[in-house]
Amino acid sequence: MHSTGCLLVLLHSFLGYSQILQGPQSAAVLLNSDALFNCTLSEPWVIMTWLLNGRTVLTILSATGPVVTNPRFTSRNNTQGNAFTAELIISKVSLQDSGVVMCDLQNIETKEANLSVQVNGSLQITNHSLSVLQDHSTTIVCQASKWYPEPKITWMLNKTWADPQNYTTGSSLSTEFYDTTSTLRLAPSSDVTIVCVASIPALPEPQTTTVNLTVTAEHAKPSNDKTVLIAVTVTFSAVALIVLIIVGIVFCCKKRTSSKSSYQEEMRKVSQGRSPNEQNSKMPQIQGKINLGFSAENISGNQESQGSRDTGNKTVALEVPHVIQTNNKGHYPVNPKKMRQATVV
């Protein structure tokens, strides 16, 4: 190897001085895509090599061309005047290919570049409801899953970039990928088209997802308002009817009580205004005959003078007075024959 290096140096001195005019440029590419790197040399040159992360992946000889040892690493060459451009092609890059790419000219001069293999995952707005009342605050959530590296999330409202102060973004790393969530806060006054934008350097254009947010006027009522109005009206009418029935019952009771009181008061006044004779004339006639000869004298005196005595029992004979002749149709005999017997024990 030492002898080969000396030979190359002698050859370089014999043929003249060669140098790298332009080295490779750093690149960010998506997973499973192709990565391209160019290295431009001045003529004349003899040998150059490509290295990835310190490992030789392709050798190119000016006389015979590239020496391919791995089909994933190939080359395209182009010569313009005194400049030779060698293009390294890495097919279907993997995450393990990320690192340093080096162009080495005859072990004399090198130029380096970085290769970044990136992954664009899924992107979606997770809101289930996309309707809000006018001028009411709401939040829209955008979820980026399995990205590498961490994506940059921005928002657009009706094709205008949203103020970064109106949204917050956070990320978490799981194994090799990032999960990023961004939350947008807004209080729209009219319908708005919302775009969530996720970008990484490897994407030629940012990845987007779009939703339309519908704004409903605050005074607008839901479709079941008529049903609610009818229910309220029926309830109010029923309550009013019950109240009217109760008031009517109370009024009738008061009126009946007042009429009864007035009638009793009137009868009292009429009764007070009559004479005793009128009052007596109105009293009901007693049925039967009146004995005007009855005298309520001392019964005990009569019992002693007119009665008879026995040893254990006393028998009292009371004589009923003569019946005084009246205008009544009935009359009583002068000498009574019937006696009232009273036995005193």
Side-chain angles (χ1 to χ4, degrees), residues 34-269:
D34 295 343
L36 306 177
F37 295 92
N38 291 327
C39 187
T40 302
L41 313 175
S42 62
E43 295 281 5
W45 62 277
V46 178
I47 185 173
M48 69 162 294
T49 57
W50 286 101
L51 296 88
L52 176 61
N53 292 327
R55 178 173 57 91
T56 299
V57 294
L58 185 65
T59 299
I60 303 175
L61 301 174
S62 60
T64 59
V67 179
V68 177
T69 58
N70 188 329
R72 290 185 58 235
F73 301 93
T74 58
S75 176
R76 281 196 299 254
N77 301 325
N78 182 28
T79 300
Q80 290 184 350
N82 292 329
F84 171 80
T85 300
E87 183 180 49
L88 173 66
I89 303 171
I90 306 175
S91 302
K92 295 183 178 181
V93 295
S94 64
L95 293 175
Q96 289 72 26
D97 292 331
S98 296
V100 178
V101 177
M102 181 183 293
C103 171
D104 183 355
L105 174 61
Q106 302 172 164
N107 286 334
I108 298 174
E109 185 180 8
T110 61
K111 294 291 184 181
E112 295 180 351
N114 290 319
L115 170 62
S116 176
V117 179
Q118 303 183 359
V119 179
N120 64 317
S122 62
L123 184 69
Q124 63 177 346
I125 291 177
T126 60
N127 291 68
H128 297 291
S129 175
L130 292 172
S131 179
V132 64
L133 290 177
Q134 187 176 24
D135 297 326
H136 280 59
S137 178
T138 188
T139 57
I140 305 297
V141 179
C142 184
Q143 178 71 50
S145 301
K146 298 186 179 305
W147 287 66
Y148 185 85
E150 178 183 354
K152 179 183 178 181
I153 304 293
T154 54
W155 295 85
M156 293 186 71
L157 305 176
N158 291 334
K159 298 182 179 180
T160 302
W161 292 108
D163 188 343
Q165 295 182 351
N166 293 333
Y167 57 88
T168 56
T169 303
S171 296
S172 61
L173 179 62
S174 59
T175 62
E176 298 177 340
F177 304 104
Y178 285 91
D179 294 327
T180 303
T181 301
S182 183
T183 303
L184 173 68
R185 300 177 303 276
L186 70 163
S189 57
S190 60
D191 294 351
V192 57
T193 300
I194 301 174
V195 182
C196 177
V197 182
S199 62
I200 52 177
L203 281 174
E205 293 184 357
Q207 188 168 330
T208 63
T209 181
T210 304
V211 295
N212 293 315
L213 182 64
T214 302
V215 176
T216 304
E218 188 172 4
H219 57 78
K221 301 298 180 181
S223 58
N224 62 344
D225 271 0
K226 291 184 178 180
T227 304
V228 174
L229 180 60
I230 292 173
V232 171
T233 303
V234 170
T235 302
F236 179 79
S237 301
V239 172
L241 180 61
I242 293 172
V243 171
L244 289 175
I245 292 173
I246 293 173
V247 171
I249 292 173
V250 172
F251 178 77
C252 291
C253 291
K254 285 186 176 181
K255 185 175 181 181
R256 181 176 297 177
T257 303
S258 176
S259 300
K260 186 175 181 181
S261 300
S262 300
Y263 174 77
Q264 292 176 349
E265 184 67 24
E266 185 67 24
M267 293 300 298
R268 188 179 297 110
K269 290 180 180 180

